[in-house]
Amino acid sequence: MSTVLAGLTPTVVPVDGADPELIAIGERYWAMAGFHPELFTPVWCEKAADIDTLGWGGPLYATAAGGVRAVVDHVCPQCQQQLSLTSRTALADLARGETPVCVECTESLVAAVQTLNDPKRKGKRDAARARAAEQQALDAALATWRSAQREFMEERYRLTFSETVPTASVREMVAALALLRYAPSTTPISEIGAWLDPLHPAQTETVQLLGALVRGRLIRLHPTTPVTAIEWESSFQEALAAAGGDLESVELNPQPTSNFFPLDSRFYAPFATSAGTGAQRLDAVLSERLTPERLTAGQHDDLLSLAQELIAEEALRYFASRLEDLNLPTVTDNHVERLREAAYKVARHRPLAEIYNLAWRSTRSAAESAQKNPRAPRANMSTHAVNQFETHALHAVTDPAWPIKAFGEVTGCGPSAMARTLFYTVLDLHPLETSLTDIEQVLPEPAPEPLTPAGEAAHQPPTGEEPEDEELPLLVRWLHTYPGSWVPDTLFQALEDLVQSAAGMEFDVEQRVVRRAVAHLQHLRVCLSPVLDERQVALAVLAATELLQHPVTDSDRSAKNQPVGSVVRRHLSRAIFDTEDDPAEE
């Protein structure tokens, strides 16, 4: 039997004029390791599935036939010529005693080989290969670009640590503490957008808070942050376009902007000696600073404001969840403000558990109306829910004796991390059952002055020597953090004085510019006073000076063409801190 099988071992003969790639494919296809000693079946060196056809297409046996002939010491029963095997299956049939026909007598295989060698097909194949090579080069260049971005980030955001924890507002301290205590890991803190119970009830506020924490230096971006989480001055496509499409000429110098995508970023606490000990250090400091006995009167107001915000936003989050569960559309933009206003009003007087009840009643009424009026636009049903909630909220505010059944925690819509931190950790109260009145009753007497944390020097107001792009943020932040150090009426009186003095401008036209700018700020004060307390209004007015960009010449003749907002802000700052101009400068 072994002698018979030895005669069945094919001899591979290249086809004259065949493409070298086809010859190589054919040789791999017909490479034999022998026959099985017991089954007497062919044993091949490679599986057919492991052989790459290099884009030639078609069945593998046809591709092999385009490059070689596998001949054996047998005769084709049709043409009486030496037998050339059509496929591996044909050799197995021959070993079993069957007599297959040769390649030239198999019309379908001959047609497949002719199609394989069609010049038009070859041109398409070459074009596809060129595109593949171009894409491969493009992918390699993009990988190099990403590598350059990664190297830049590892250098710019390398791990640094300090012992001093910066001061921050109550809102930011609660957010940072919640971030530390509810993150799956603090080394680093990541995937904040994927938390089941979010950091803040409103995702937009979560984004803003994370940005504020980074700017306030309570947390820093971790060097392992994905490069896609950073906004870059130019993308790879833009750099390639600037190079005229030449991959070799692309300048590998990606530069980031100051913007990033917080929900996709990774953070760490830059204190103590490592990310782990830094989180412990920050947790301890924030817990101490948020002790109610250590909070000043202004910080008590901030804490109450934050509690109202979290209660209202939790209610709005539940309201939106109810609409989604009832297959009702989200509230249209022109009704969102009414809904928010009603939620914030009732949050001043009722606990969250009762507001849940009002939201449930309102959305249930909307769902019933949708069933009774199937032809009505479903957006109208969401508006009906807003109307109902607005009515219920007013009733709850104006009639404190109105009994409202308190709901328990809603599955899938539990309190956010900040709500849990504020109520459970700071106040030791239940977030669903506590109203603002309850909080006011349990708060101790406010501390007389801002307390300086251990190991931190007394915080001084901005000196005016900070970089221009940091001066206003630092000033607003300091005033917000130390509300007891300034009086809002001083700023408002300074605005009145500027109407008369016009900031000492020499020319009439510039005096008119200053008075017009001051009028804008006074109008802003009038608009905000009904809804914000006077300190928040004063901070908003001060921050709005950045928007006043009309150029003027200040009384300091060495400084030309300053924005009028900078001039006004300088006078307001002097009034707040009770400082006068140096007589020499005058």
Side-chain angles (χ1 to χ4, degrees), residues 30-91:
W30 290 109
M32 280 188 64
F35 288 90
H36 195 280
E38 297 178 357
L39 303 177
F40 309 112
T41 56
V43 178
W44 305 99
C45 294
E46 291 183 86
K47 294 181 180 180
D50 295 338
I51 300 176
D52 187 4
T53 60
L54 304 177
W56 284 87
L60 181 58
Y61 68 89
T63 306
V68 300
R69 292 290 183 270
V71 297
V72 292
D73 192 16
H74 282 70
V75 177
C76 174
Q78 288 190 14
C79 64
Q80 303 301 316
Q81 300 295 322
Q82 187 176 17
L83 180 63
S84 56
L85 299 172
T86 58
S87 65
R88 290 179 173 182
T89 304
L91 180 58

Side-chain angles (χ1 to χ4, degrees), residues 451-480:
L451 297 178
T452 302
E456 181 180 340
H459 197 85
Q460 299 297 323
T463 62
E465 300 178 357
E466 296 82 6
E468 185 176 353
D469 59 342
E470 297 182 8
E471 178 183 353
L472 179 59
L474 288 174
L475 176 60
V476 173
R477 182 181 180 82
W478 191 92
L479 294 174
H480 179 67

